[in-house]
Amino acid sequence: MSVPDHPGHPDHPDHPGHPGHPGHLTAEELLLLEKQNSRLVPEFKANKLELEAQKNWDLFYKRNETNFFKDRHWTTREFEELLGEVKGETKEMLEVGCGVGNLVFPLLEEKLPLYIYCCDFSPRGVQFVKDHILYDEDRVRAFQCDITTETLLSELGPGSVDIVTCIFVMSAIHPTKHQTVFHNLSKVLRPGGVLLFRDYGLYDMAMIRFKPGSKIGQHFYTRQDGTRSYFFQESEVEQLGLAAGLVTYQNTSLARRTVNVKEGVDVARSFVQSK
């Protein structure tokens, strides 16, 4: 699905009611965004965050182990491509940014017709996957990889998988490297293969809540632990795909809510999902 060309269309990013348009924000939220520009991350610190990106993610998993992210039991509902179309046919899938296995192990539990390769920037995260009780190299193989480099291609080879999932991964990567990542993912896909993408959308509540001193650049922020987050527009994701030779057949903003009754949390979220 492509982005509508006319700003009057409700799905166009410039339509005031669109989640990716600042017009839908409250005056308080607009003020919070404005305050972020009062103190930006200094260039030397931004460069340091880039150089230490792997170390910061490794420390993240050292602190949180397997307890931070919830298992993603929703992926087959949102991405029916994972279910398989031909009975008895096993497809090969690559999950990039696998973390500690919150996507891969729910898929293995469903006994889907998939052989799964999964990789992460963090060696510690990959080790947590390998230590999991369900880890079996007859069904899954985990490896450490920096997907912004040629390592992925040398590890798997060109045209080696039918499906690539890239879910809440690109946002953690410097935006100057996004196109390189899309090219690398496109190269490992077989003809007719599919890239399944979901990530944080522009003006997601997490973006609005960043304080002054957190903003690195346009739509790009650092958290207190040194990990970073970028917030996407639909048109941006589509262009990344097109430049990598991929044809977009779904590209949409998703409005969701994060609810935790126990802690009294109920906030609007905005994600971009593309195929």
Side-chain angles (χ1 to χ4, degrees):
M1 184 179 85
S2 61
V3 178
D5 292 327
H6 195 277
H9 192 288
D11 288 336
H12 192 281
D14 291 334
H15 187 277
H18 190 275
H21 186 277
H24 83 288
L25 300 176
T26 65
E28 182 184 3
E29 289 168 341
L30 289 168
L31 182 60
L32 290 171
L33 287 172
E34 189 178 327
K35 283 182 176 178
Q36 291 172 356
N37 293 319
S38 67
R39 185 160 54 91
L40 301 178
V41 173
E43 186 179 357
F44 79 90
K45 184 180 177 183
N47 292 337
K48 188 170 184 281
L49 289 168
E50 175 65 15
L51 290 170
E52 297 181 352
Q54 184 181 71
K55 185 183 83 171
N56 289 333
W57 276 109
D58 235 29
L59 289 172
F60 173 89
Y61 289 119
K62 182 179 181 179
R63 282 190 304 273
N64 298 291
E65 298 187 348
T66 59
N67 304 313
F68 191 83
F69 298 112
K70 293 180 179 178
D71 281 349
R72 294 170 177 165
H73 293 286
W74 49 265
T75 48
T76 52
R77 182 176 70 249
E78 297 281 357
F79 298 112
E80 67 277 3
E81 293 85 352
L82 296 170
L83 296 171
E85 299 171 358
V86 181
K87 194 173 182 180
E89 179 187 39
T90 298
K91 289 191 172 183
E92 291 181 282
M93 174 191 133
L94 166 66
E95 182 197 4
V96 294
C98 64
V100 298
N102 298 103
L103 169 61
V104 63
F105 293 118
L107 293 180
L108 291 177
E109 285 173 346
E110 290 193 42
K111 295 182 169 56
L112 298 173
L114 292 170
Y115 185 86
I116 303 174
Y117 299 97
C118 59
C119 65
D120 199 90
F121 195 26
S122 164
R124 194 181 299 270
V126 171
Q127 193 57 52
F128 276 122
V129 173
K130 291 183 175 181
D131 291 342
H132 195 285
I133 192 171
L134 291 179
Y135 186 78
D136 176 0
E137 293 208 345
D138 287 338
R139 303 177 66 200
V140 59
R141 180 166 74 83
F143 57 98
Q144 191 276 333
C145 183
D146 178 355
I147 60 173
T148 70
T149 69
E150 293 289 322
T151 312
L152 184 63
L153 201 61
S154 59
E155 184 76 36
L156 294 180
S160 53
V161 296
D162 304 289
I163 301 169
V164 174
T165 62
C166 185
I167 299 175
F168 298 111
V169 177
M170 288 284 286
S171 53
I173 296 171
H174 197 288
T176 58
K177 297 182 177 181
H178 287 171
Q179 192 62 70
T180 298
V181 173
F182 262 72
H183 279 298
N184 290 339
L185 300 183
S186 176
K187 287 174 185 175
V188 298
L189 275 173
R190 293 186 176 120
V194 60
L195 168 61
L196 306 176
F197 177 97
R198 183 190 276 197
D199 223 314
Y200 300 109
L202 193 62
Y203 306 122
D204 175 61
M205 188 54 66
M207 174 179 171
I208 294 168
R209 287 186 169 183
F210 276 110
K211 305 294 185 188
S214 302
K215 189 172 183 179
I216 300 171
Q218 188 177 36
H219 311 156
F220 193 40
Y221 298 80
T222 180
R223 303 181 185 93
Q224 287 186 336
D225 63 3
T227 62
R228 299 166 300 171
S229 190
Y230 184 84
F231 296 85
F232 288 90
Q233 299 178 76
E234 294 161 66
S235 55
E236 192 176 4
V237 178
E238 184 175 24
Q239 286 303 314
L240 288 168
L242 286 172
L246 301 171
V247 178
T248 304
Y249 65 94
Q250 184 192 92
N251 188 34
T252 187
S253 282
L254 301 176
R256 297 286 188 266
R257 300 199 74 82
T258 295
V259 179
N260 187 321
V261 177
K262 187 178 179 181
E263 296 183 10
V265 174
D266 184 358
V267 295
R269 304 304 306 270
S270 175
F271 306 127
V272 173
Q273 182 164 300
S274 301
K275 303 177 181 180

